[in-house]
Amino acid sequence: MSTIDYMNECTVRDLVLMLMEERGLSLHEALDTVYNSETYAKLTDPTTGLYFQSPVYIYCFLDRELATGKMQE
């Protein structure tokens, strides 16, 4: 496993926990939300550099995506 893959897994863990806490989602719902998001697609694309950002910063993108249907306005 590469360092980037490990960082992504840790970020996904944190995003799932935040979704469960902030939005009251179940574990299954939170995992499904993260893995099917545009945010996750960007996170796993090393060219974006998003993997290097904090989970809280990335959660802001995910939260916006869930609210508006897109990652960025």
Side-chain angles (χ1 to χ4, degrees):
M1 174 185 293
S2 73
T3 302
I4 293 173
D5 291 337
Y6 178 74
M7 292 171 74
N8 286 341
E9 285 188 18
C10 292
T11 298
V12 167
R13 176 201 60 211
D14 293 342
L15 293 174
V16 165
L17 291 172
M18 285 185 255
L19 284 171
M20 292 171 65
E21 185 176 306
E22 299 287 324
R23 293 182 171 252
L25 299 180
S26 69
L27 176 60
H28 179 75
E29 292 169 326
L31 284 166
D32 191 51
T33 298
V34 171
Y35 285 124
N36 290 303
S37 68
E38 180 184 346
T39 302
Y40 179 75
K42 298 286 187 191
L43 174 66
T44 57
D45 178 358
T47 63
T48 67
L50 195 57
Y51 68 90
F52 197 64
Q53 302 299 321
S54 76
V56 173
Y57 179 77
I58 297 167
Y59 182 79
C60 290
F61 286 104
L62 181 59
D63 191 51
R64 183 180 307 135
E65 179 182 350
L66 295 175
T68 66
K70 33 186 175 171
M71 189 175 164
Q72 296 180 359
E73 295 179 8

